[in-house]
Amino acid sequence: MMQGERAPARRDNFRMAESFEADMIKHPYADQTPAHHLHVYCHKHNTILTLTRPNGNPIMSIGCGQIGFRKAGRSGFDPAYQLSAHVLGQIKEKGLLMEIKRLEVVFRGFGKGREAFTKVLLGNEGRFIKGLVVRVTDSTRLKFGGTRSRHERRLG
């Protein structure tokens, strides 16, 4: 009888573990806090970084023009690199690391700033923040059909 009583208890524990695993597969982030978002908008002429709370309210939004680059100077790799380092420094300086538990990086566009931000995040400047990154997504807008594009400019 003792052996017969233990077997159902083991089965119940096994079923409970199975249901917990199945629940974690269905909802992998159910027990975790929602992530803050760092939007990296890189286009041909500028790079803009926006840090938002999990509900979408912005905390800070900075472009290359706000750190001293003007007109055509905003479009290169170096301004985007300096902007990325500046924003990551501001996050640390303002004490936002205490508030941010998880961070999602959202890229948009295929400008030079995309690569610059990646270099900063993986480099020495991003050592405090890269451990908080839980997801990297791309929300670049792609056109399917639509109106006819302008012709490509040809020089020379």
Side-chain angles (χ1 to χ4, degrees):
M1 284 192 199
M2 292 286 257
Q3 292 175 349
E5 290 175 10
R6 288 184 186 171
R10 286 183 187 162
R11 285 186 196 146
D12 289 342
N13 288 340
F14 183 70
R15 286 182 188 152
M16 191 170 75
E18 273 186 341
S19 67
F20 180 72
E21 288 175 3
D23 192 44
M24 284 302 291
I25 290 171
K26 289 179 189 172
H27 308 288
Y29 302 109
D31 62 332
Q32 296 177 353
T33 60
H36 284 68
H37 294 87
L38 181 60
H39 296 271
V40 183
Y41 178 39
C42 317
H43 57 86
K44 189 173 168 183
H45 303 295
N46 201 355
T47 301
I48 301 166
L49 299 179
T50 305
L51 179 67
T52 63
R53 289 192 165 82
N55 64 0
N57 292 341
I59 298 172
M60 72 168 68
S61 182
I62 302 176
C64 288
Q66 290 172 289
I67 59 169
F69 293 96
R70 292 287 165 226
K71 304 287 182 176
R74 296 178 290 202
S75 65
F77 180 91
D78 190 48
Y81 190 94
Q82 289 183 28
L83 172 71
S84 302
H86 176 74
V87 168
L88 296 184
Q90 286 289 317
I91 290 172
K92 183 182 174 205
E93 206 174 282
K94 290 183 177 182
L96 295 171
L97 288 175
M98 301 300 285
E99 181 183 340
I100 299 172
K101 302 294 181 220
R102 301 171 69 231
L103 185 69
E104 181 176 334
V105 178
V106 181
F107 287 107
R108 185 168 148 207
F110 295 111
K112 296 174 185 170
R114 189 180 182 116
E115 184 68 28
F117 178 80
T118 306
K119 293 258 187 203
V120 170
L121 185 64
L122 297 176
N124 194 31
E125 296 93 343
R127 67 185 176 274
F128 301 109
I129 293 177
K130 65 182 164 187
L132 302 174
V133 175
V134 293
R135 183 184 297 167
V136 178
T137 59
D138 189 358
S139 67
T140 303
R141 297 184 178 156
L142 299 174
K143 187 173 89 171
F144 291 99
T147 59
R148 183 172 170 172
S149 302
R150 291 181 55 197
H151 70 86
E152 192 67 31
R153 186 175 175 203
R154 295 181 192 167
L155 299 173

